[in-house]
Amino acid sequence: MDLEIRHLRIVHAVAEAGSVTKAATRLGLAQPSLTAQLKRIERSLGGPLFERDRNGARPTPLGEMVLARARVLLPAVRDLQEDAVRFANTSVKLPGYRLGATNGPILGGLVERLTADQRGVPVTTRTSWSAGELTALSVAGRLDFVLLGTCGDSPPPPAEAMIWTTVGTDPVFVLLSEDHPLAEEKELELSRLADERWTVAPGDGCFADCFAAACARAGFVPESIYETDVATCLHLVGVGKAVALCQATFRLTSGLVMMPLAGAPLRWRHLLGWHADSIGARAAAPVVAAHARAAYADAVRRSARYADWLVTNPEYGAVPQP
């Protein structure tokens, strides 16, 4: 049997776990199957790699030698795979557009515009609540462009050689049930919501801290916060069990009212990012950014409440393309 990288991963997993049983669990294999594979690996390498007893598995001298080489080879193979993916995506022209996005108003319009502008060019999408995950996929060469949001002036997730441009900056509004006692107001001081229960969708940025700081400035601590998916957030607001913060471009559904907060205590920036090592992404970035800004402008126009608010707050909204 020829030795393969997957065999070294098995040996490394057994050594790290300290037993075949624990390694099998981590690798998602049945313990008898892993034991049989380990025996075949040992036969191919000329001897036992582990001393196994009721206390676990300990490397033999031969096992220590194999592990020393595996700890060099496995990271090198992983780096090779990541570099190869990145290199494959450094052509001057992208063969298609691989887009990643957190929850926001731009992705749908961007896909619509790209597919209309460049018919036949494939466009794929990936969504996640984690801006860090999407940024890491771009760094690894698995996404060409990333759309995400950050609270106020907070930076995007730290990553080497990412290029970011701001598409637009919005105030954060609040969602109420249409039957809420404050639903007829034109705008609300955040302090008037001090006794409300809140519902939020998950995220890995600093928005929770920014929200807590804004509440503190308004003189209160949120009574309780339900963290859940977007559909459940909307349900809880609609039945009057909570209120929710939302992007000003949010498309209202039946039974809900979107309300500006006086003084815009919270802001949200929409960012488009790509990796500097991707020649194709760098070449396509001006076109993609222009389509993203147009999609964002469409989202602003669809939100009548936000469009009206912008008349007296022109410092918000779309950021002109440089």
Side-chain angles (χ1 to χ4, degrees):
M1 181 184 75
D2 292 333
L3 188 67
E4 301 177 14
I5 291 296
R6 63 187 178 92
H7 298 144
L8 294 180
R9 292 194 179 102
I10 288 173
V11 174
H12 186 263
V14 173
E16 288 292 306
S19 79
V20 174
T21 301
K22 292 179 181 178
T25 300
R26 293 183 183 182
L27 294 170
L29 299 173
Q31 189 268 334
S33 173
L34 182 58
T35 299
Q37 289 190 59
L38 184 58
K39 288 180 178 179
R40 289 195 293 271
I41 294 167
E42 290 178 324
R43 285 197 298 270
S44 74
L45 292 175
L49 302 178
F50 297 95
E51 295 177 358
R52 299 190 284 277
D53 56 31
R54 67 183 61 169
N55 296 318
R58 297 174 302 282
T60 63
L62 175 60
E64 292 285 6
M65 186 274 288
V66 172
L67 281 166
R69 302 289 180 87
R71 289 179 179 126
V72 174
L73 289 172
L74 290 175
V77 169
R78 184 180 62 248
D79 290 345
L80 171 62
Q81 290 174 322
E82 292 177 356
D83 289 345
V85 169
R86 189 177 296 116
F87 183 83
N89 293 304
T90 57
S91 60
V92 173
K93 184 176 181 180
L94 291 175
Y97 295 94
R98 298 169 303 168
L99 311 176
T102 54
N103 184 44
I106 300 174
L107 181 60
L110 178 57
V111 171
E112 177 186 4
R113 288 174 175 277
L114 284 173
T115 53
D117 183 48
Q118 302 184 41
R119 296 184 182 278
V121 176
V123 177
T124 59
T125 61
R126 178 171 182 147
T127 59
S128 172
W129 60 264
S130 172
E133 176 191 356
L134 296 174
T135 302
L137 288 172
S138 181
V139 171
R142 300 184 183 278
L143 290 174
D144 300 310
F145 294 95
V146 174
L147 286 164
L148 53 84
T150 64
C151 181
D153 296 321
S154 301
E160 184 179 350
M162 285 295 292
I163 299 171
W164 299 98
T165 186
T166 301
V167 176
T169 301
D170 296 336
V172 175
F173 286 179
V174 64
L175 280 179
L176 309 173
S177 165
E178 64 181 5
D179 297 324
H180 194 283
L182 300 174
E184 299 299 323
E185 301 287 332
K186 291 187 177 180
E187 68 174 14
L188 289 175
E189 294 286 346
L190 182 58
S191 59
R192 296 185 68 185
L193 300 169
D195 296 328
E196 298 288 344
R197 297 178 183 272
W198 297 82
T199 181
V200 297
D204 57 359
C206 66
F207 188 77
D209 293 335
C210 295
F211 174 52
C215 292
R217 290 193 299 270
F220 72 97
V221 175
E223 180 177 342
S224 64
I225 298 177
Y226 304 114
E227 183 179 281
T228 183
D229 59 273
V230 173
T232 303
C233 287
L234 298 181
H235 175 80
L236 290 173
V237 174
V239 297
K241 297 300 183 181
V243 299
L245 297 171
C246 69
Q247 298 175 28
T249 50
F250 177 76
R251 297 185 77 169
L252 279 175
T253 54
S254 177
L256 301 181
V257 173
M258 186 166 65
M259 185 75 61
L261 292 171
L266 292 164
R267 293 183 296 118
W268 191 253
R269 284 192 305 148
H270 301 282
L271 302 177
L272 174 71
W274 59 93
H275 199 270
D277 287 350
S278 173
I279 299 173
R282 292 206 324 259
V287 171
V288 175
H291 284 314
R293 288 186 170 90
Y296 170 75
D298 288 342
V300 172
R301 283 191 290 269
R302 285 194 299 266
S303 176
R305 195 72 182 264
Y306 184 26
D308 291 343
W309 186 89
L310 282 173
V311 173
T312 54
N313 298 272
E315 68 272 22
Y316 288 87
V319 174
Q321 188 161 2

